């Protein structure tokens, strides 16, 4: 198994506040890796550093063996932010088309990718409608489709299931597993919901900017002799101090 | 390629928003038309009461478009009660004039005109005593105008200034708010995670809003020339060139300032700080009348250069050589603000 993302001793501060403290981890290709932790733990900052929107103060991050930030690596990353970054005055299709045209795709590829991404999130029938009339869940799904539009090797999804109904949440997770199994994508998600963490292949628990523990859900539960991941988080946090 | 994609998106969004389109293209015409009627309105004839004044003087005054009311007796109270602009009385061989003075500048003109009328009457009287047949009304100085003609009104100067100001104001506001929307909705950040280069993004904004500025200029100029009768002595291409440069400055200032605003309302708060001072320096108040430090300040106002250049082209009919200095100044503004914008976009992606 090759390593898709490698984070090495990364720290980051905003002003006096240290947001990330000496984080190291590796993410294998073709796996779903979850960053778990409460809001404000530093998950989003870590994700932004991996995408290349910001630079770490110290340490290095390599994605597909290239140090980020790098323009070269951007087409290989499909990013979905915490908030739906959509143009409300445009239709779903126009949103997809716009983001597709920012990548090097020809007309035919563009059309194929739009169709593929839209069908993946079950939005085909709503593509001609304006985003302003979409429900919260539909917007989330459209954001996910946009993250998939250029067929990236790596998907980075910041809180992909926040604010969507349980049925859809199950749907999104099924989709992520399918993308992993069938398309071999490496997927990095952040979440603060522990039962979603169970669905990841690997998890890294983040608290106050530190990675307090990491491993497969099974490993962690055995190591900390805990019945669920909530307990793991609790015990790991106490030990870490 | 990517630049055209972003441009297409800007156009699409704009034309979905009918009110903004109306603001951009119709509002300037509305304001221009109002201004036209404000400044080209016919002044009403001043009303002058006279007491014990010679018939020949009344004749001269009436010729000067005074509305004359003859009184047997009148005082200050009459001026107020009959709403006279002034009252002229001949008493013991001297004239006395009471002015209402509710509008000092028109009162001054009225006093001047009355003085002239009295002088004219005295001259005719004197000439009559000397037996010379003097017809004062026939004396007419042959007048020639370097710029404009005898019909030129204040609006001929104001028109070109306003055309520049509209472009600045609307492009500043609409582009600034649009980019702000991209910041707050997260789409700007999302775009920056695609392989778009910062200059490609900024170029799309410049080109997209540049097109709007050109369309707006065309509409406003054609309307001003055909409907409002504003003179366009020079080339319309020069007018477009000036406004395009000004639009670039307005756009880059707008997008840069949107960095410092966290809501649309905060963007609107920049209007009194950034936009209103500009209009004070565009030449509505002649620059030569200003204090020295204000004249220095004017050098930092982009609209000042554009208004000056527009006046040269539209009113005086000058060509490129006369406005090259202004164009250079506008270009310098544009380049400086483009660089600042590129730097400010760095915070969305560190490459």
């Amino acid at each position: 198994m090759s390593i898709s993302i490698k984070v090495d001793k990364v720290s980051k501060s905003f002003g006096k506040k240290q947001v990330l403290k000496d984080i190291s981890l590796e993410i294998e290709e073709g796996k779903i890796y979850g960053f778990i932790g409460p809001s404000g733990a530093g998950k989003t900052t870590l994700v932004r550093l991996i995408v290349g929107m910001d630079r770490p103060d110290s340490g290095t991050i390599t994605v597909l063996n290239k140090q980020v930030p790098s323009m070269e690596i951007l087409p290989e990353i499909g990013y979905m932010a915490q908030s739906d970054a959509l143009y409300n005055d445009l239709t779903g299709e126009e949103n997809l088309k716009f983001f597709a045209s920012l990548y090097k795709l020809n007309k035919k590829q563009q059309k194929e990718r739009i169709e593929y991404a839209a069908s993946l999130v079950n939005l085909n029938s709503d593509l001609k409608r304006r985003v302003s009339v979409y429900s919260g869940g539909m917007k989330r799904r459209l954001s996910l489709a946009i993250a998939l539009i250029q067929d990236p090797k790596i998907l980075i999804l910041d809180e992909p299931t926040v604010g969507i109904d349980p049925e859809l949440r199950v749907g999104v997770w099924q989709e992520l597993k399918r993308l992993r199994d069938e398309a071999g994508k490496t997927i990095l998600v952040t979440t603060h919901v522990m039962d979603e963490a169970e669905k990841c292949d690997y998890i890294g628990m983040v608290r106050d900017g530190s990675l307090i523990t990491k491993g497969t859900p099974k490993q962690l539960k055995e190591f900390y002799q805990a019945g669920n991941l909530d307990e793991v988080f609790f015990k790991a946090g106490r030990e870490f101090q | 390629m990517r630049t055209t994609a972003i441009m297409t998106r800007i156009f699409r969004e704009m034309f979905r928003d009918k009110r903004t389109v109306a603001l951009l293209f119709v509002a300037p015409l509305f304001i221009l038309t109002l201004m036209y009627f404000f400044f080209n309105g016919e002044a009403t004839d001043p009303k002058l009461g006279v007491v014990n004044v010679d018939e020949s003087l009344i004749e001269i005054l009436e010729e000067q478009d005074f509305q004359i009311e003859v009184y047997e007796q009148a005082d200050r109270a009459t001026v107020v009660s009959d709403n006279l602009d002034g009252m002229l009385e001949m008493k013991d061989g001297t004239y006395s004039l009471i002015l209402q003075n509710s509008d000092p500048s028109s009162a001054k003109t009225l006093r001047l005109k009355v003085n002239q009328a009295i002088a004219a009457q005295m001259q005719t009287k004197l000439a009559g005593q000397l037996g010379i047949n003097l017809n004062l009304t026939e004396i007419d100085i042959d007048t020639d105008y370097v710029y404009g003609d005898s019909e030129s009104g204040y609006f001929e100067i104001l028109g070109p200034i306003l055309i520049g100001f509209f472009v600045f104001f609307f492009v500043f506001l609409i582009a600034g708010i649009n980019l702000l929307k991209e910041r707050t909705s997260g789409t700007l950040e999302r775009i920056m995670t695609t392989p778009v280069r910062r200059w490609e993004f900024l170029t799309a904004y410049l080109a997209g809003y540049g097109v709007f500025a050109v369309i707006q200029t065309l509409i406003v100029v054609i309307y001003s020339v055909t409907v409002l009768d504003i003179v366009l002595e020079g080339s319309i291409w020069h007018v477009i060139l000036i406004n395009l440069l000004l639009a670039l400055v307005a756009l880059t200032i707008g997008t840069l300032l949107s960095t410092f605003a966290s809501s649309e309302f905060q963007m609107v708060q920049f209007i009194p700080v950034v936009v209103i001072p500009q209009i004070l320096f565009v030449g509505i108040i002649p620059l030569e009348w200003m204090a020295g430090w204000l004249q220095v300040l004017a050098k930092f106002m982009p609209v000042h250069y554009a208004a000056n250049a527009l006046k040269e082209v539209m009113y005086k009919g000058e060509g490129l050589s006369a406005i090259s200095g202004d164009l250079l100044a506008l270009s310098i503004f544009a380049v400086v603000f483009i660089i600042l914008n590129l730097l400010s976009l760095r915070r969305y992606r560190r490459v």
Side-chain angles (χ1 to χ4, degrees):
Chain A
M1 269 297 166
S2 64
I3 303 297
S4 280
I5 301 171
K6 187 168 190 261
V7 178
D8 192 24
K9 299 195 188 77
V10 162
S11 296
K12 177 78 188 170
S13 304
F14 292 117
K16 278 194 183 129
K17 191 172 168 12
Q18 191 165 23
V19 186
L20 293 176
K21 293 171 207 159
D22 198 31
I23 301 237
S24 295
L25 57 92
E26 286 176 352
I27 299 175
E28 274 178 39
E29 190 188 329
K31 298 280 184 213
I32 299 180
Y33 197 106
F35 285 158
I36 323 295
S39 307
K43 304 187 297 284
T44 299
T45 307
L46 185 51
V47 161
R48 287 171 54 92
L49 290 177
I50 294 172
V51 177
M53 290 191 279
D54 216 337
R55 273 180 206 280
D57 295 339
S58 62
T60 55
I61 299 172
T62 49
V63 176
L64 300 174
N65 297 320
K66 273 253 170 350
Q67 188 170 339
V68 290
S70 150
M71 285 295 278
E72 242 175 283
I73 224 71
L74 282 172
E76 300 300 346
I77 300 175
Y79 173 64
M80 175 173 147
Q82 217 163 1
S83 64
D84 291 306
L86 303 168
Y87 296 100
N88 285 319
D89 287 335
L90 303 184
T91 65
E93 190 176 20
E94 285 164 344
N95 269 281
L96 283 168
K97 214 182 235 159
F98 170 64
F99 284 104
S101 58
L102 298 181
Y103 295 96
K104 278 204 173 76
L105 298 173
N106 60 39
K107 276 257 146 43
K108 191 167 157 270
Q109 284 173 316
Q110 246 184 51
K111 224 180 139 211
E112 281 169 8
R113 290 304 304 172
I114 289 171
E115 244 164 61
Y116 167 78
S119 62
L120 206 61
V121 295
N122 224 345
L123 269 178
N124 295 56
S125 52
D126 297 301
L127 277 185
K128 301 279 180 210
R129 295 168 70 200
R130 285 199 197 185
V131 173
S132 51
V133 301
Y134 276 24
S135 69
M138 286 161 80
K139 285 184 188 171
R140 249 9 312 221
R141 276 143 68 200
L142 183 59
S143 298
L144 185 58
I146 288 171
L148 288 164
I149 198 79
Q150 81 276 27
D151 199 12
K153 289 202 178 86
I154 298 169
L155 269 178
I156 296 181
L157 313 172
D158 199 1
E159 303 266 7
T161 54
V162 81
I164 64 174
D165 58 81
E167 199 185 337
L168 194 64
R169 184 178 302 192
V170 173
V172 168
W173 274 99
Q174 277 173 352
E175 215 44 71
L176 294 183
K177 282 182 177 158
R178 213 167 65 81
L179 285 166
R180 174 195 62 188
D181 298 336
E182 288 174 23
K185 308 264 186 232
T186 308
I187 300 169
L188 172 60
V189 293
T190 74
T191 179
H192 58 262
V193 186
M194 287 298 172
D195 67 312
E196 287 197 343
E198 296 270 9
K199 299 180 176 110
C200 301
D201 298 321
Y202 286 92
I203 48 181
M205 291 191 166
V206 188
R207 207 191 63 181
D208 293 331
S210 299
L211 193 66
I212 52 175
T213 188
K214 60 190 175 186
T216 67
K218 198 163 162 253
Q219 280 174 349
L220 290 177
K221 276 186 281 192
E222 276 169 13
F223 183 82
Y224 290 97
Q225 296 174 340
N228 58 41
L229 287 173
D230 271 313
E231 240 176 281
V232 172
F233 187 79
F234 208 66
K235 286 183 174 168
R238 228 178 335 180
E239 250 171 60
F240 186 76
Q241 278 167 346
Chain B
M1 247 276 288
R2 295 182 189 122
T3 307
T4 40
I6 300 173
M7 262 175 79
T8 317
R9 200 215 73 226
I10 290 173
F11 290 151
R12 211 172 249 154
E13 268 194 305
M14 179 71 103
F15 287 110
R16 292 271 157 90
D17 187 357
K18 299 280 180 285
R19 261 174 65 158
T20 307
V21 175
L23 180 74
L24 200 57
F25 298 136
V26 183
L29 305 187
F30 175 66
I31 300 172
L32 259 179
T33 313
L34 274 182
M35 292 289 229
Y36 173 78
F37 286 115
F38 283 149
F39 286 99
N40 281 5
E42 288 285 312
T44 51
D45 298 337
K47 230 162 104 180
L48 186 70
V50 289
V51 179
N52 195 23
V53 167
D54 200 67
E55 199 57 41
S56 60
L57 180 59
I58 293 179
E59 240 172 66
I60 293 170
L61 285 169
E62 274 177 338
E63 256 169 44
Q64 293 222 7
D65 290 334
F66 276 99
Q67 216 184 311
I68 304 292
E69 302 266 341
V70 183
Y71 292 89
E72 284 299 309
Q73 210 179 3
D75 52 17
R76 296 170 70 97
T78 327
V79 173
V80 177
S81 65
D82 289 7
N83 195 23
L84 300 172
D85 291 301
M87 220 256 308
L88 184 67
E89 186 175 10
M90 172 66 134
K91 214 177 189 178
D92 309 326
T94 50
Y95 287 108
S96 72
L97 180 64
I98 300 170
L99 291 170
Q100 194 188 53
N101 205 23
S102 54
D103 173 6
S105 73
S106 63
K108 244 177 225 159
T109 338
L110 185 124
R111 206 184 79 188
L112 205 71
K113 276 184 165 175
V114 170
N115 275 337
Q116 280 171 346
I118 293 170
Q121 187 228 10
M122 280 178 162
Q123 272 177 325
T124 346
K125 225 155 109 187
L126 202 67
Q129 282 167 0
L130 294 171
I132 309 163
N133 188 9
L134 192 69
N135 198 344
L136 275 170
T137 49
E138 266 179 21
I139 294 175
D140 193 10
I141 300 166
D142 189 19
T143 319
D144 198 12
Y145 298 86
V146 178
Y147 304 119
D149 52 41
S150 63
E151 297 291 301
S152 299
Y154 187 48
F155 194 67
E156 302 275 311
I157 299 288
L158 200 59
I161 291 173
L162 285 175
I163 290 169
F165 182 72
F166 288 143
V167 165
F168 183 85
F169 179 68
F170 291 114
V171 170
F172 168 83
L173 196 64
I174 293 172
I177 286 183
N178 207 297
L179 190 66
L180 184 76
K181 233 166 71 188
E182 291 230 44
R183 284 181 209 282
T184 50
S185 73
T187 48
L188 177 59
E189 191 182 84
R190 185 64 188 75
I191 287 175
M192 285 301 162
T193 66
T194 71
V196 169
R197 306 224 163 247
R198 279 174 290 157
W199 64 262
E200 288 176 320
F201 178 79
L202 200 60
T203 310
Y205 258 72
L206 294 179
Y209 284 94
V211 170
F212 288 126
V214 169
I215 298 173
Q216 190 195 44
T217 305
L218 276 174
I219 292 177
V220 172
V221 170
I222 289 170
Y223 180 82
S224 313
V225 172
T226 56
V227 180
L228 300 183
D229 254 355
I230 292 187
V231 285
L232 174 60
E233 295 286 342
S235 154
I236 190 161
W237 298 111
H238 294 163
V239 175
I240 290 175
L241 178 67
I242 297 164
N243 274 2
L244 193 59
L245 269 177
L246 182 64
L248 292 191
V249 179
L251 178 103
T252 46
I253 294 180
T255 51
L256 188 66
L257 284 181
S258 80
T259 320
F260 304 104
S262 56
S263 66
E264 270 101 333
F265 180 52
Q266 288 197 347
M267 193 65 209
V268 171
Q269 286 166 6
F270 282 122
I271 294 174
V273 183
V274 177
V275 182
I276 304 293
Q278 305 269 349
I279 202 155
L280 299 176
F281 289 97
V282 295
I284 292 177
I285 307 157
L287 213 59
E288 298 79 44
W289 296 3
M290 290 183 188
W293 65 274
L294 279 175
Q295 292 190 25
V296 172
L297 198 60
K299 301 257 181 286
F300 295 96
M301 302 282 170
V303 182
H304 161 74
Y305 297 98
N308 195 37
L310 285 169
K311 231 163 39 187
E312 296 284 330
V313 171
M314 293 187 71
Y315 184 64
K316 298 186 181 173
E318 298 282 357
L320 274 183
S321 57
I323 57 170
S324 56
D326 294 317
L327 293 182
L328 181 70
L330 285 174
S331 310
I332 291 171
F333 275 112
V335 168
V336 168
F337 283 113
I338 285 171
I339 292 170
L340 289 175
N341 267 288
L342 285 174
L343 290 177
S344 92
L345 281 175
R346 270 191 82 88
R347 70 165 165 168
Y348 292 95
R349 187 178 65 204
R350 293 310 173 100
V351 274

